[in-house]
Amino acid sequence: MAIQRTLSIIKPDATRRNLTGAINQKLEKAGLRIIAQKRIKLSKEQAGIFYLVHKERPFYDELCSFMASEPIVVQVLEGEDAIMLNRKVMGATNPVEAGEGTIRKEFALSIGENSIHGSDGETTADFEIGYFFSGLEMAG
C-alpha cells in the first residue's frame, strides 16, 4: 500500500463541544499522522466553494451555513492507504449506521452534525488539501 495524504475537517458541532483532542487521538491511534492542522472560521461563501460539488443537492445551503457557523479544524493526515483508513475511522455518515468505536458513532449528533469530514478519493483529497494548505504548511 502507498503512503497517501487526505484532508480531515473536525466540524463545528465537534469543535463547539471541545472534541478536537479526542478525535485526533482516534485518528492517531488508527495509524494516521497529522502533518498539518489549523483552526479556522469559514465564511458561508468559502464553505460554498469547498462544497461546490454538492451545489445541486437539497442540503447544500444548510451544509454551507453549518460549516460557517463556528470554527472548524482542518488537517492533513498521512499514512498507508490514508483515505480509506480515515473513512473507516470516521464511520458511516449516518451515526446510527456507524460502527462501534468510530468517530461518528461516538461523537456525531445527527447525519448533518456528524463531527468530521474526510476526502472520498485521491482527486478529491488533492483539491481539498490545496484549498486549505500550502506545501509549506505540511511537515511530514
Side-chain angles (χ1 to χ4, degrees):
M1 305 242 172
I3 298 295
Q4 291 180 320
R5 290 181 175 175
T6 188
L7 185 88
S8 174
I9 301 175
I10 301 175
K11 292 182 176 182
D13 64 290
T15 63
R16 179 180 65 242
R17 293 177 291 142
N18 223 14
L19 295 173
T20 301
I23 290 172
N24 283 350
Q25 185 176 28
K26 283 189 161 296
L27 296 169
E28 290 178 329
K29 188 175 180 182
L32 294 161
R33 292 180 59 220
I34 301 167
I35 64 165
Q37 178 174 265
K38 56 188 171 185
R39 184 179 178 98
I40 62 173
K41 176 84 167 61
L42 291 176
S43 69
K44 189 173 178 185
E45 293 73 29
Q46 290 166 324
I49 294 168
F50 181 76
Y51 284 109
L52 199 58
V53 67
H54 298 302
K55 186 166 179 59
E56 301 305 319
R57 296 195 150 172
F59 59 81
Y60 175 75
D61 191 59
E62 183 180 346
L63 173 63
C64 294
S65 294
F66 168 63
M67 292 301 288
S69 67
E70 297 192 43
I72 61 173
V73 174
V74 292
Q75 50 193 193
V76 179
L77 307 176
E78 184 177 77
E80 258 187 52
D81 202 20
I83 295 167
M84 291 310 299
L85 180 55
N86 184 44
R87 296 190 68 74
K88 180 179 175 183
V89 175
M90 289 189 320
T93 302
N94 183 344
V96 173
E97 298 170 1
E100 290 300 322
T102 63
I103 291 167
R104 289 178 173 152
K105 186 66 161 187
E106 289 190 26
F107 303 124
L109 300 174
S110 65
I111 291 175
E113 292 184 312
N114 61 22
S115 300
I116 193 163
H117 163 91
S119 304
D120 63 5
E122 288 184 41
T123 302
T124 307
D126 289 343
F127 165 76
E128 292 180 346
I129 291 169
Y131 189 78
F132 291 110
F133 294 95
S134 75
L136 293 173
E137 294 176 290
M138 291 180 266

